[in-house]
Amino acid sequence: MNQSIETKEQTKSENLTAQLIEAIVSGEYSPGSKISETELARFFNVSRGPLREAMMRIEALNLVERIPHVGTRVATLSPEKLIEIYAVREALEGMAANLACKNITDQEIAGLEMLLEQHQEHIEQVDGASYFHQQGDFDFHYQIIKASRNSKLISLLCDELYHLLRMYRYQSPSTQSRPTHALNEHFQLLTAIKERDAELAEMLMRRHIKRSRELIENQLIEEGKTNDAE
Amino acid sequence: MNQSIETKEQTKSENLTAQLIEAIVSGEYSPGSKISETELARFFNVSRGPLREAMMRIEALNLVERIPHVGTRVATLSPEKLIEIYAVREALEGMAANLACKNITDQEIAGLEMLLEQHQEHIEQVDGASYFHQQGDFDFHYQIIKASRNSKLISLLCDELYHLLRMYRYQSPSTQSRPTHALNEHFQLLTAIKERDAELAEMLMRRHIKRSRELIENQLIEEGKTNDAE
DNA sequence: ATCAACCTAATTGTCGACAATCAAGGTTTT
DNA sequence: AAAACCTTGATTGTCGACAATTAGGTTGAT
């Protein structure tokens, strides 16, 4: 019932866009695989018109790659691209943390505190259940981004970059994370936000993201070594 | 001849996209004005299919605003939105300057020096010809962004944000600028880049953009005052 | 046997027509 | 007279068919 409201946005083209984004991000279509317009259109019971319109939008989000007269493929997210995204994230989320200090409400801060306490319990209970943690990680970051009150910043991060991040996570479930350290950094960050210390919050956020990036870079180096060894 | 290669991308939908972006950014279609699909399609000698596909892409760039079943309008860029964009620019271009220090070639640095010298001459000759200066301002920033070698960063700044900036410039030719100060800041920045001082370059770039933003904010306050006075 | 040219099948790009929706003006009812 | 309800005109959304282009396999020549 609720679904019938949610899924029926207004127009087929828009529904398709939302559904395809979710399907691609969640790994339902494997990266690099070809997307046949005719086939997909038949599957979703629409004509190729709306489907192509949806594809144009999704292409703009960098979730698929299109070559004229050839076809569309689900985007593949190499570790190199991911590292680029992390550099962008570092800049943008640093700014978001900075602005959040100026605009966040006390109520939102209380919400963030609750969120982190939940995460703490999760980590203590199921030591290293990284899936829950990663979802929680996203939640925390989302809240701070929203609290920046800068709609451009919000849409860039949430609508463009985070789709790609989620996509990568589904692609590479082996991705390392560091739940305990990350949680500590979240607590530090929240403290800075609570004290409305914008510069400190920005610095902590940037360091937090930079460390995640370094983890990926190290993995990449490791992979390089093993590949060389072959 | 060159043109026939440039303009004929490959497909009508893509040609349209490029042409419409240029037309909208350059103010050919005035902000807020309604765009009739039938009319535009006839004007460009295409059917509504490719035109709508182009619109979807352009909507993703935030150059037009679409309401389902109602229509499409050329985006209006309020000073408030512009200020938001400047905050994003500050973060992203700061990072770009930082990365550029690590990746720029000596040849590119020499190019930047020449560019700034040209600007200096321009300013000395035609004191306050802000159009040339603003174009030059963009050139300088573009080069640094490109030198970051981060393709995500480059596409975000050049393909998304700068279109909006150019659009605003065409909308409000009365926009104040501060050629002399800006040029000094550019020289400072270039010095930091030459010395590969990433942190300093980032800081200088951020301050440079922040000052531009403050100029806009002050204009906004002035306008507010005059409006209150009425 | 190898390479080049050609042909064919399949996919994408484009079009014109039809269906669905909205905005505006006029009509009727209270 | 004001408000609610059609009705109509125009615009957008969707569809199925056709045209253009590509990829792959086949044929032919060197």
Side-chain angles (χ1 to χ4, degrees):
Chain A
M1 359 228 76
N2 199 346
Q3 192 187 13
S4 66
I5 298 172
E6 299 288 342
T7 52
K8 290 274 175 201
E9 295 273 335
Q10 289 204 21
T11 173
K12 296 195 179 185
S13 167
E14 291 195 337
N15 289 343
L16 265 180
T17 307
Q19 290 186 49
L20 283 175
I21 288 175
E22 187 52 34
I24 290 174
V25 166
S26 69
E28 204 164 317
Y29 300 98
S30 54
S33 63
K34 191 165 187 308
I35 292 179
S36 160
E37 292 181 359
T38 318
E39 195 179 323
L40 253 193
R42 203 165 32 216
F43 179 76
F44 281 104
N45 276 82
V46 296
S47 82
R48 282 176 50 226
L51 181 101
R52 283 175 60 88
E53 290 182 3
M55 283 301 182
M56 299 298 156
R57 292 193 255 229
I58 293 173
E59 185 192 10
L61 297 177
N62 295 298
L63 293 177
V64 299
E65 290 168 4
R66 163 186 290 279
I67 302 175
H69 296 290
V70 174
T72 308
R73 293 186 171 279
V74 179
T76 57
L77 201 48
S78 67
E80 288 83 2
K81 287 183 198 163
L82 190 65
I83 289 171
E84 287 195 350
I85 290 175
Y86 267 73
V88 174
R89 260 191 82 189
E90 183 182 326
L92 289 181
E93 289 205 47
M95 177 60 79
N98 184 315
L99 295 175
C101 286
K102 295 157 186 161
N103 297 311
I104 198 169
T105 65
D106 293 336
Q107 197 177 356
E108 286 174 308
I109 291 178
L112 283 174
E113 281 185 316
M114 281 181 53
L115 195 63
L116 289 192
E117 281 166 23
Q118 285 176 17
H119 294 174
Q120 177 124 36
E121 288 176 20
H122 268 133
I123 285 182
E124 286 170 358
Q125 286 172 13
V126 287
D127 179 65
S130 70
Y131 176 80
F132 282 112
H133 173 70
Q134 289 215 17
Q135 184 55 49
D137 190 57
F138 282 176
D139 288 341
F140 183 75
H141 284 265
Y142 269 122
Q143 296 300 327
I144 292 177
I145 292 165
K146 292 238 174 78
S148 75
R149 303 288 190 275
N150 181 318
S151 60
K152 194 82 199 167
L153 194 54
I154 295 170
S155 78
L156 276 180
L157 281 167
C158 296
D159 297 339
E160 299 201 28
L161 295 184
Y162 267 70
H163 281 320
L164 291 171
L165 289 184
R166 285 179 56 205
M167 187 171 161
Y168 187 84
R169 193 182 68 179
Y170 281 111
Q171 274 186 43
S172 322
S174 65
T175 306
Q176 291 179 27
S177 65
R178 41 193 198 90
T180 311
H181 290 137
L183 184 59
N184 282 340
E185 289 166 13
H186 283 184
F187 271 117
Q188 275 194 322
L189 186 48
L190 183 53
T191 303
I193 290 174
K194 233 187 301 187
E195 294 174 7
R196 312 275 175 181
D197 189 337
E199 284 189 23
L200 179 61
E202 174 161 2
M203 193 268 271
L204 289 173
M205 177 65 94
R206 287 185 66 154
R207 203 165 67 179
H208 174 57
I209 293 172
K210 191 177 167 192
R211 285 176 179 163
S212 296
R213 188 186 68 202
E214 286 165 352
L215 198 68
I216 299 167
E217 286 174 341
N218 288 337
Q219 283 181 251
L220 190 56
I221 292 170
E222 291 301 317
E223 286 178 20
K225 280 182 187 169
T226 54
N227 285 346
D228 287 349
E230 298 185 77
Chain B
M1 0 226 70
N2 199 348
Q3 194 186 14
S4 66
I5 297 173
E6 300 288 341
T7 52
K8 289 275 175 201
E9 295 273 335
Q10 288 203 22
T11 173
K12 296 196 179 183
S13 166
E14 292 196 336
N15 288 344
L16 265 180
T17 308
Q19 290 186 50
L20 283 175
I21 288 176
E22 187 52 34
I24 291 174
V25 166
S26 69
E28 204 164 316
Y29 301 97
S30 54
S33 64
K34 191 166 186 311
I35 293 178
S36 160
E37 294 182 358
T38 317
E39 194 178 324
L40 253 194
R42 202 165 33 217
F43 179 77
F44 282 103
N45 276 82
V46 295
S47 82
R48 280 177 53 227
L51 181 102
R52 282 175 59 89
E53 291 182 3
M55 282 301 183
M56 298 297 156
R57 291 193 255 230
I58 294 173
E59 185 192 12
L61 297 177
N62 295 297
L63 293 177
V64 299
E65 289 168 4
R66 163 185 290 280
I67 301 174
H69 297 288
V70 174
T72 309
R73 293 187 172 279
V74 179
T76 58
L77 201 48
S78 67
E80 289 82 2
K81 287 183 199 165
L82 191 65
I83 289 171
E84 286 196 350
I85 290 175
Y86 267 73
V88 174
R89 261 191 82 190
E90 183 183 326
L92 289 182
E93 290 205 46
M95 176 61 77
N98 184 315
L99 295 176
C101 287
K102 294 156 186 162
N103 297 312
I104 197 170
T105 65
D106 292 337
Q107 196 177 357
E108 286 174 308
I109 291 178
L112 283 175
E113 281 185 316
M114 280 181 53
L115 195 63
L116 289 192
E117 281 166 22
Q118 285 176 16
H119 294 174
Q120 177 123 36
E121 288 176 20
H122 267 134
I123 286 181
E124 286 170 358
Q125 285 172 12
V126 287
D127 180 64
S130 71
Y131 176 80
F132 281 112
H133 174 67
Q134 287 214 18
Q135 184 55 49
D137 191 56
F138 282 177
D139 288 342
F140 183 74
H141 283 265
Y142 269 122
Q143 296 299 328
I144 292 177
I145 292 165
K146 293 237 174 78
S148 76
R149 303 288 191 275
N150 181 320
S151 60
K152 194 80 199 168
L153 193 54
I154 295 169
S155 79
L156 277 180
L157 280 166
C158 297
D159 298 339
E160 298 200 28
L161 296 184
Y162 267 71
H163 281 321
L164 292 171
L165 288 184
R166 284 179 56 205
M167 187 170 160
Y168 187 84
R169 193 182 67 180
Y170 281 111
Q171 274 187 41
S172 323
S174 66
T175 306
Q176 290 180 29
S177 64
R178 39 191 200 92
T180 311
H181 290 138
L183 184 60
N184 282 340
E185 289 166 13
H186 283 184
F187 272 117
Q188 275 193 324
L189 186 48
L190 183 53
T191 303
I193 290 175
K194 232 189 299 189
E195 294 174 5
R196 311 276 175 181
D197 190 337
E199 284 188 23
L200 180 61
E202 174 161 2
M203 192 268 272
L204 289 173
M205 178 65 94
R206 287 185 66 154
R207 203 166 65 179
H208 175 57
I209 293 172
K210 191 177 167 191
R211 284 176 179 162
S212 295
R213 188 186 68 202
E214 285 166 352
L215 198 69
I216 300 167
E217 285 173 341
N218 287 337
Q219 282 183 252
L220 191 57
I221 292 170
E222 290 301 318
E223 286 178 19
K225 279 182 186 168
T226 55
N227 286 345
D228 286 348
E230 297 185 73

